[in-house]
Amino acid sequence: MSVPTITLNNQTTIPQLGFGVFQVPPAETAATVATAISVGYRHLDTAQMYGNEEGVGQGIAASGIPREELYVTTKLNNNNHRPDDVRRSFEESFERLGLDYIDLFLIHWPLPTRYDGDYVSTWKAMTELTQDGRLRSVGVSNFHPEHLDRIIDATGVLPAVNQIEAHPYLPNDEVRAASHERGITVEAWSPIAQGKVMDDEVIQRLAQRHGKTPSQVTLRWHIERGDVVFPKSMHEERMRENFEIFDFQLSPDEVEAIRRLDQGEAGRIGPNPETMDWIPS
């Protein structure tokens, strides 16, 4: 199946479906990534925080797929926000991944209660990394509208993407709309709410109607909404299931029925970006 691409605001393109390696053990990452690539995934999403960048690079090398056919994202760890640490840690990520270039580098969390509230200098240092050709695009993750406005107003540089928690129980439409209004592509993390959608009656009914699984219906919902999505599984059968979402469509009414499952803050699974302040030791 052909995965559609989205053109970012810097005119580079990103596959709309990717493969995430959050919580994949480092020792198992290379094999997991190689399997995902063999299934057909060409977009891989990792992070410094995950501790498995090296395995991602090894899996890519083992796959034999040409570098230019792959899209690779990593993210800045929360303990690397100071400009010197941004530059140092990017070098480390670059070495661990072992690639000629990285497609996308994100600030993982804004951390507004840390670093004296200064994530602007972090963003400025991120934008400077694109100058030597080893990094194609920079973006952010978990940024709310006020966070976006602050870095854009200060630097004039738009993030290419904003990766946020988004799923049927937290559609996060306000943040999505704010991102789109600024020309920023949205990526959805935790797209199936860590499996909670599997037992939802609305999604089960739609899955039965389309002859698909609840996971496939939910991932298709993200695609219909125009977001980039990257489910994670270490099992090849589930990887294939998650990849097979381009042979059916949801109607606008079906998309809206899923959106109405919104539980607001009660549906949030991860931390709220306004208060997230964890720094790894």
Side-chain angles (χ1 to χ4, degrees), residues 27-165:
E28 300 176 52
T29 301
T32 301
V33 165
T35 299
I37 292 173
S38 73
V39 167
Y41 292 91
R42 295 295 182 265
H43 172 185
L44 303 165
D45 183 277
T46 185
Q48 294 175 354
M49 191 181 296
Y50 303 165
N52 55 19
E53 290 172 312
E54 186 173 2
V56 171
Q58 291 169 346
I60 290 171
S63 74
I65 297 296
R67 172 67 183 95
E68 61 271 16
E69 294 183 17
L70 298 169
Y71 193 98
V72 180
T73 300
T74 192
K75 311 178 196 75
L76 183 76
N77 207 342
N78 291 351
N79 57 359
N80 290 326
H81 271 225
R82 293 186 176 87
D84 285 346
D85 292 328
V86 171
R87 292 183 281 267
R88 172 192 52 76
S89 68
F90 175 77
E91 295 291 338
E92 293 170 352
S93 288
F94 190 79
E95 291 298 321
R96 284 191 292 263
L97 286 163
L99 304 173
D100 295 334
Y101 61 91
I102 294 172
D103 293 279
L104 180 63
F105 191 38
L106 309 179
I107 299 179
H108 208 149
W109 292 89
L111 304 178
T113 63
R114 292 280 187 164
Y115 300 103
D116 297 320
D118 178 20
Y119 46 85
V120 170
S121 61
T122 308
W123 175 242
K124 186 173 185 298
M126 295 277 288
T127 66
E128 293 169 352
L129 294 172
T130 61
Q131 295 174 0
D132 66 5
R134 295 185 301 163
L135 176 63
R136 300 287 174 87
S137 304
V138 287
V140 296
S141 183
N142 303 299
F143 271 51
H144 280 178
E146 61 271 24
H147 305 142
L148 295 173
D149 284 341
R150 187 174 171 200
I151 61 172
I152 295 168
D153 291 346
T155 67
V157 181
L158 289 170
V161 307
N162 187 15
Q163 186 180 118
I164 60 173
E165 180 179 348

